[in-house]
Amino acid sequence: MKKFLALVALALMSQPALAQDAPKWSLAIHGGAGTLDPAQMTPEKRAAYEADLQRALDAGAKILADGGSAMDAVKAAIVIMEDSPLFNAGKGAVFTWDGTNELDASIMDGRDRSAGAVAGVKTVKNPILLADTVRTRSEHVFLVGKGAEEFAVSKGFAVMPPEYFATQARREALERLKAEKLSALDVDHKFGTVGAVALDQSGNMAAGTSTGGMTGKRWGRVGDAPMIGAGTYADNRACAVSATGWGEYFIRVGVAHEICARLRTWWTVDPQTMASALGEALEKAGSDDANSFELRLPSAPEDLAQAIADDVMADVAALGGDGGVILVTPAGDAIFSFNTTGMYRGRATSAGVNEVAIFGGEEKASATPDH
Ligand code: ASP
């Protein structure tokens, strides 16, 4: 029991207010998670992905290093990935069953939890910017289809022709899906959605996600990416999260909000109150149960956000889904968690971390600061 309470106290000490030497800013990006086969990744292909990830990371990092906002950093990083044909967002989006590209995006500001989202948009070059315009220039949070496009035109967005978004590789994926009666997962196995999360020097956080969805989607299917709370969430009291993966499962778990809510509980509840409540609960359960509680606690404070993200991703896996998340915390952690073989990703912090990676375990440095 004593050991358990000591662990609780240790975990509670990870409250961000206690952080020392925490990075002043941090940024994480993703370009989709999935079953990536190292054998199929030629050096040229790898170099192309890494170059575009690095460009997106550098654009966001520069804004944060210069004292700019988390919101601007998130948008800058995502626009670069939307404009790259390599990722399943903006140009290069996957095809629907009907042979169109229908784009979804969402964005959220952790300062005031203002949020904007669009789904099923076919004519907007950078859906993340439209989502942000819904956030800042409408009374709404979520606009879909034709209405979202009318709103875009009314706010001065150019109308892009369908050919702008179409790429040969994505068209072939749809043809293969139809010819071989495959599922989206068989042809897409690397999802390719893009996202970014940032903490700026003022302590504000933001998150954004943009996608073409899943190959062969029909009937107006919408995944988690544009859903606030599922694919995207930001709250200065907790964290900023962007997700990628099999959207239906991420919606059911409410992944992005679930991670932030669990972190907020740890970080905003008075440590004494939490420790004594847990102690009492354990007392009632009988001290024999201490081990099972112990196992669920992170072994060190800096592992807390990682442990929570991993736990929520395990929940997604338990239901049958897969994918990954990126998050930043008020303490400056820049964290990845995914249950696929790879996730296109990158992170940079004011503490000198700057790296991009594709397959599992490729990180060179820990981006988790000492607290
Ligand atoms: N989450 C996206 C969706 O379900 C797909 C992805 O992450 O690539 O629409």
Side-chain angles (χ1 to χ4, degrees), residues 30-33 88 94 104 188 190-194 209-214 217 221-226 231 243-251 322-324:
H30 72 76
N88 172 19
V94 298
D104 308 332
D188 267 355
K190 41 187 179 331
F191 296 105
T193 288
V194 308
T209 312
S210 181
T211 190
M214 291 173 104
K217 65 184 183 180
R221 180 266 185 193
V222 177
D224 61 313
T244 171
W246 197 343
E248 279 70 8
Y249 292 91
F250 282 69
I251 295 170
D322 61 358

Side-chain angles (χ1 to χ4, degrees), residues 38-62:
Q40 304 231 314
M41 180 63 72
T42 61
E44 295 73 30
K45 224 171 162 184
R46 188 182 180 108
Y49 275 105
E50 286 180 347
D52 281 1
L53 285 171
Q54 191 69 57
R55 273 197 308 124
L57 191 66
D58 289 348
K62 182 171 183 340

Side-chain angles (χ1 to χ4, degrees), residues 65-201:
D66 290 348
S69 71
M71 190 41 96
D72 284 347
V74 161
K75 284 187 280 182
I78 291 179
V79 162
I80 287 175
M81 293 187 282
E82 283 181 337
D83 291 348
S84 163
L86 298 177
F87 302 104
N88 172 19
K91 188 179 187 65
V94 298
F95 280 87
T96 65
W97 185 261
D98 297 328
T100 56
N101 303 110
E102 293 183 6
L103 313 169
D104 308 332
S106 64
I107 195 159
M108 187 162 186
D109 190 335
R111 264 185 309 196
D112 55 0
R113 280 170 282 156
S114 59
V118 293
V121 166
K122 296 181 189 164
T123 59
V124 176
K125 181 170 178 272
N126 294 112
I128 197 70
L129 299 182
L130 181 57
D132 194 44
T133 305
V134 172
R135 181 180 76 86
T136 55
R137 296 176 66 196
S138 86
E139 294 171 344
H140 309 294
V141 169
F142 203 166
L143 302 181
V144 302
K146 281 239 157 310
E149 287 171 354
E150 276 168 32
F151 173 78
V153 169
S154 78
K155 298 298 178 202
F157 281 77
V159 175
M160 300 301 283
E163 312 82 73
Y164 168 76
F165 302 98
T167 57
Q168 194 50 29
R170 299 296 191 189
R171 201 184 293 280
E172 280 165 14
L174 176 67
E175 280 160 12
R176 212 154 70 76
L177 174 135
K178 286 187 168 180
E180 298 171 34
K181 296 202 173 19
L182 299 169
S183 75
L185 291 183
D186 295 320
V187 292
D188 267 355
H189 259 279
K190 41 187 179 331
F191 296 105
T193 288
V194 308
V197 291
L199 166 74
D200 65 28
Q201 295 190 36

Side-chain angles (χ1 to χ4, degrees), residues 16-29:
L18 301 178
Q20 285 165 1
D21 305 326
K24 290 193 205 67
W25 57 263
S26 71
L27 171 71
I29 62 168

Side-chain angles (χ1 to χ4, degrees), residues 230-241:
T232 301
Y233 204 76
D235 180 346
N236 275 6
R237 300 169 301 174
C239 62
V241 179

